[in-house]
Amino acid sequence: MTTVLEVLGQVFLLAGAMVFILAAVGLITLFDPYTRASAVATAAGIGVGFVVVGVVLLDPSVSNAVKAVLAIALQLVTSAIGGMAIARGAVLTGHDFEPGTDASELHDLHDPGDEPDAR
């Protein structure tokens, strides 16, 4: 059973590494900050999940499993929030979208700090 867990752990670690490599390639090849942010946020969530599961399979214990669940949950939440914050910052600073992107819902988006004071 230990050998099976070790093999599965190594497979998960390699899968996580491959996700990170694909995200790095995406950062180089994708054209606008929105798709780049999406690639990084997705890789952060999935890649870290694979790596953490792989580590738990290599050193299985209840305490490690609890730590892994907590780490994966926090990573999924923070990577999603970080990706949305980066994309929103790009929209608010006026970065162009890749040609063919439908941004019609964003034409009214503005920074609340630009509103005049209501006195």
Side-chain angles (χ1 to χ4, degrees), residues 46-71:
I46 295 172
V48 169
F50 281 157
V51 169
V52 170
V53 168
V55 168
V56 170
L57 290 174
L58 290 173
D59 188 19
S61 69
V62 174
S63 66
N64 284 346
V66 170
K67 293 173 194 174
V69 168
L70 183 61

Side-chain angles (χ1 to χ4, degrees), residues 11-106:
V11 168
F12 273 94
L13 286 172
L14 288 173
M18 289 304 299
V19 169
F20 288 128
I21 289 170
L22 289 173
V25 170
L27 282 175
I28 295 168
T29 60
L30 296 173
F31 298 109
D32 60 10
Y34 313 104
T35 54
R36 289 178 182 166
S38 175
V40 170
T42 302
I46 295 172
V48 169
F50 281 157
V51 169
V52 170
V53 168
V55 168
V56 170
L57 290 174
L58 290 173
D59 188 19
S61 69
V62 174
S63 66
N64 284 346
V66 170
K67 293 173 194 174
V69 168
L70 183 61
I72 291 170
L74 289 173
Q75 178 63 31
L76 289 174
V77 170
T78 57
S79 69
I81 292 170
M84 286 185 274
I86 291 169
R88 179 173 169 78
V91 168
L92 292 177
T93 57
H95 280 63
D96 292 330
F97 288 92
E98 185 175 344
T101 302
D102 179 20
S104 60
E105 293 183 17
L106 299 174

